[in-house]
Each structure stands twice: as structure tokens, then as C-alpha cells.
Amino acid sequence: MSTPTITAAQVKELRDRTGAGMMDCKKALEETSGDLDKAVELLRVRLGDKALKMGGREATEGTVQSYIHGNGKVGVLVEVDCNTDFVARNEDFIAFAREVAMHIAASPAVRYVSEDEIPEQDREAELRVFEQQAADKPENVRAKIAEGKLRKWIEEVVLLRQPHVNPDKHDGKTIEELRAELSGTTGENVVIRRFSRFAVGA
Amino acid sequence: MSTPTITAAQVKELRDRTGAGMMDCKKALEETSGDLDKAVELLRVRLGDKALKMGGREATEGTVQSYIHGNGKVGVLVEVDCNTDFVARNEDFIAFAREVAMHIAASPAVRYVSEDEIPEQDREAELRVFEQQAADKPENVRAKIAEGKLRKWIEEVVLLRQPHVNPDKHDGKTIEELRAELSGTTGENVVIRRFSRFAVGA
């Protein structure tokens, strides 16, 4: 009987997801021929949910802040991560998170933190529409027009490349520039991890 | 040449999604043989994004509120809807939204507003694990044990059926009971539409 080859990376991923021991993870992967989801199920059955730290991930520090706008019609929740609790409690760090939340509240089109979060198929679908919208333009400029519209769309949906909505306070800097600055002054990685934006009726 | 039969429901759905006129929607659906996504693309090309209210939906009133817990380690954003702006600005209505946000902050397992939001495949996957976890129990009680665990899981992940985390303040009532009460006193539909819960490191 041959056992399938299980890579160290597979074992690590299963450990990260379940918190189970290395040998348990290796065995579960061998028995499920490397199927990660099935291996998770197997470990849940074998070891019980309580023994597993389901969904566990490496410890991160950071802060969750919110901004409510316009009499409760728009609200934003944002998580900004760093390396130590010391920085997570730093006033400037918390202020940055709040400024980001406020910016997102004022930016209804923003959907992603960074450009590489845009799903490839969404980008392609947008480009397809822009190409067709430009179909009445001379052929030699059509692709350029569609590309231009795509760049504009990306600028609207990606948070990091946007100048903060309050340019007077932030010298016209983009969110990415403000983030990099804070990373410099704190000496830690500063990562805008995720955000949610709710608008009533949207 | 035969045109495919387009139902009134299809036309309505396309109108809801794009805000385009009835005849434009009917024509787009005929030309795409009733394919809704393709019809949306066609309308975006034909009428331009600005003419369309993309993602438009029926006007709702409501409020977005947040709750930040434990020195910024957990945050919750919640939207509660009603019928009129008058109620949306009502103190009790806003207080309810905040109490719900606070409850969710204290409830890391909660993932859905109501039971019918649980995807069928998620429910089946959980039941499968519980059945296997009970495999060492006598056969005549196995299904009952798994069913019991599933009910317990549902109670942990569904918001509405949970007693509010502050039973003294709310007489031990569930979120659904508090919601129904508020609906009675305001005379409007009160709907917990959505929530987000961020915890640092989770």
C-alpha cells in the first residue's frame, strides 16, 4: 500500500487551520490523499472541536476602530494591524485607523484595500464593458480609452492609492503614504487588514 | 425569427438591478435570451453607467451603529432598518442597534442574523462532522446526539435566537424578542439587515 506524498507546506497549512499536532496533521492528510478540507473534517472527528483551535492564526496586534457619518446613515469598521500591543495602543496609530475609517465613509466606491485584491475576473469584466462602451470611437484609440477607464475605476475602488478625503489635514497624501509614514515613525509593519462599509439603502 | 419569452419577473429583476426603463430591460433580455448578467452588461454598454443606478434597490430607512470593545481589540458594525426616517432617528431605535452591536461584540461565534441565512451545505457539513463525532455512541442514540449538537451549533451562530448578553438590562429576552417589541412600539418593520465583527488576530 503506497501513501501519497504530503508536503511540509500542506502539513503547515493544516496546522495553521486546526492547531493540531504535526503528526496528527500528516496522518490526516495521508488518509485523505492531501484533501485539506476533508483532513480538517477528519481531525474534528478524531480530536474533537475543543482540542482544536479552529481558525487559529498567527498572533497579530492591532486595533479595530469605527466611524459613523451623517446621523447614522453610513458606518465604517476598520482593522489596522501592527506587530506589538505597545504600538496598537499608541495614540497616533489609533488616530490613523480612525482617519482611514472616516475616509472610507466618504468614499462609497471603495471596495478593496490594495489593487492585488481585485479578483481577476472582476477586472476583466470591467475592461470588457469599457471596451464595448468605446466601440464608437476610432479604432486606434479604443484600447487606450478602455485602459484609461479601467485605471480610473481601479483608483475609485482601491483604498491605498486614494488621497485622503481631508487633504488640508494630511497635506494631500494618499492613504498608502500615510500608512508608510506611520510605519516609519513606529518602526513596525502597519497593515490595513480589512474594512466594512454599510450605507443605509445601499 | 423567434424571440425568447421574457417573463415580467425577469424584467423586474433587471430593472431593480440597473434602474433602466422597462422597454430597455425587456429588449436587453430578449437579445441575451434571458441571461441576466449579460443583459446588465448590455445595458451598461448601451446606456452608460451614469444613466444606470447600478445596485439600486428600494429605498429603506435605518441606522448604522458600531460598538468597540476591549480597548479596540473587537469592533462591530450593524445596520438596522425600518420604514421611515422618523423612526430611524428615534432614540430607542438607535439604542437597540447599539445594544445589538454590543451583544455581537461579546459573541465571537455569531455569524448569521437568522437561521435561514445558514447555507444548506454548511449545515450539512456540520451535521456530518457531528454524526461522525458520535460514531462511538450506541446506534440508537447517535442521530439524536448529532441533532442535539447541530441545534446547539445553530444557537451559537444565529443572532436572533440568542438571549441578549446583558440579561439584567433586557429581562433575559432574546434579540428577536427585543426586535419584535421595538417593532410593536414603533409600528414599523424593524430588520437587522447585516453586521460585521472584527477581532484583532482572528
Side-chain angles (χ1 to χ4, degrees):
Chain A
M1 210 177 81
S2 79
T3 32
T5 311
I6 303 298
T7 66
Q10 285 173 295
V11 174
K12 185 183 180 310
E13 199 176 341
L14 186 57
R15 291 197 69 183
D16 285 348
R17 270 182 60 176
T18 63
M22 196 192 313
M23 289 314 296
D24 284 325
C25 289
K26 189 156 182 289
K27 204 153 163 259
L29 282 163
E30 279 167 2
E31 288 175 44
T32 59
S33 305
D35 184 319
L36 199 70
D37 287 332
K38 281 199 191 133
V40 170
E41 278 197 20
L42 191 62
L43 285 173
R44 288 183 63 192
V45 170
R46 197 164 279 167
L47 305 177
D49 288 343
K50 275 184 199 140
L52 302 177
K53 292 167 286 188
M54 293 300 297
R57 55 192 281 282
E58 279 165 51
T60 316
E61 286 298 338
T63 192
V64 181
Q65 297 294 329
S66 67
Y67 182 77
I68 305 290
H69 186 71
N71 246 328
K73 296 304 175 196
V74 178
V76 172
L77 192 67
V78 67
E79 177 180 345
V80 181
D81 288 349
C82 56
N83 299 114
T84 65
D85 189 50
F86 180 75
V87 164
R89 291 169 192 270
N90 173 295
E91 249 177 47
D92 291 342
F93 184 78
I94 292 171
F96 170 72
R98 288 185 181 149
E99 286 290 309
V100 170
M102 186 198 163
H103 174 87
I104 296 168
S107 313
V110 71
R111 276 162 60 194
Y112 308 101
V113 173
S114 62
E115 188 174 340
D116 55 6
E117 281 179 16
I118 303 174
E120 194 48 39
Q121 65 193 49
D122 287 14
R123 182 197 294 259
E124 279 164 16
E126 288 298 320
L127 186 58
R128 200 162 54 233
V129 167
F130 295 140
E131 277 165 355
Q132 291 175 75
Q133 285 178 344
D136 59 339
K137 300 289 187 302
E139 203 181 334
N140 57 336
V141 295
R142 231 176 265 169
K144 231 190 182 86
I145 290 173
E147 262 301 322
K149 281 191 170 193
L150 186 70
R151 297 314 310 169
K152 194 160 168 285
W153 175 76
I154 291 171
E155 268 159 38
E156 278 169 11
V157 297
V158 171
L159 174 65
L160 285 176
R161 42 171 78 215
Q162 299 180 345
H164 192 280
V165 72
N166 190 341
D168 293 344
K169 188 169 177 186
H170 297 291
D171 302 329
K173 286 173 184 155
T174 64
I175 305 293
E176 166 58 21
E177 285 166 342
L178 295 171
R179 187 208 62 74
E181 238 174 54
L182 183 63
S183 188
T185 55
T186 60
E188 298 203 359
N189 289 326
V190 173
V191 178
I192 300 173
R193 195 176 152 221
R194 50 182 169 170
F195 65 84
S196 270
R197 182 186 190 279
F198 294 171
V200 172
Chain B
M1 210 178 81
S2 79
T3 33
T5 311
I6 303 299
T7 66
Q10 286 173 293
V11 174
K12 184 181 181 313
E13 199 176 340
L14 186 56
R15 291 197 69 181
D16 284 349
R17 269 180 62 176
T18 61
M22 196 191 315
M23 288 316 294
D24 284 325
C25 288
K26 188 154 184 289
K27 202 151 165 262
L29 282 163
E30 279 168 1
E31 288 174 43
T32 59
S33 306
D35 183 320
L36 199 69
D37 287 332
K38 281 199 191 133
V40 169
E41 277 198 22
L42 191 62
L43 285 173
R44 288 183 63 190
V45 170
R46 197 165 281 168
L47 304 177
D49 288 343
K50 273 181 201 145
L52 302 177
K53 291 167 285 186
M54 293 298 298
R57 55 192 281 283
E58 279 165 55
T60 315
E61 287 297 339
T63 191
V64 180
Q65 297 295 329
S66 67
Y67 182 77
I68 304 291
H69 186 70
N71 246 327
K73 295 305 175 196
V74 178
V76 172
L77 192 67
V78 67
E79 177 180 345
V80 182
D81 288 349
C82 55
N83 299 113
T84 65
D85 189 51
F86 179 74
V87 165
R89 289 168 193 271
N90 174 296
E91 250 177 46
D92 292 341
F93 184 79
I94 291 171
F96 170 73
R98 287 185 182 150
E99 286 290 310
V100 170
M102 186 198 161
H103 174 88
I104 296 167
S107 312
V110 71
R111 275 160 62 194
Y112 309 100
V113 173
S114 62
E115 189 173 341
D116 55 6
E117 281 179 17
I118 302 175
E120 193 49 41
Q121 66 193 52
D122 286 15
R123 181 197 295 259
E124 279 163 16
E126 288 298 320
L127 186 59
R128 199 161 58 233
V129 168
F130 295 141
E131 277 166 355
Q132 291 175 76
Q133 285 179 342
D136 59 339
K137 300 290 188 298
E139 203 181 333
N140 56 336
V141 295
R142 231 176 266 169
K144 231 190 181 84
I145 290 173
E147 260 303 321
K149 280 192 171 194
L150 186 70
R151 296 315 309 170
K152 193 159 169 285
W153 176 76
I154 290 171
E155 267 159 39
E156 278 169 11
V157 297
V158 171
L159 174 66
L160 285 175
R161 42 171 77 217
Q162 299 179 345
H164 192 281
V165 71
N166 190 340
D168 294 341
K169 187 169 177 185
H170 297 291
D171 302 329
K173 286 174 184 155
T174 63
I175 305 293
E176 166 57 22
E177 284 166 341
L178 295 171
R179 188 208 62 73
E181 238 174 53
L182 183 62
S183 189
T185 55
T186 59
E188 299 203 358
N189 289 327
V190 173
V191 178
I192 301 172
R193 192 174 156 225
R194 51 183 170 170
F195 64 85
S196 269
R197 182 186 189 280
F198 294 170
V200 172

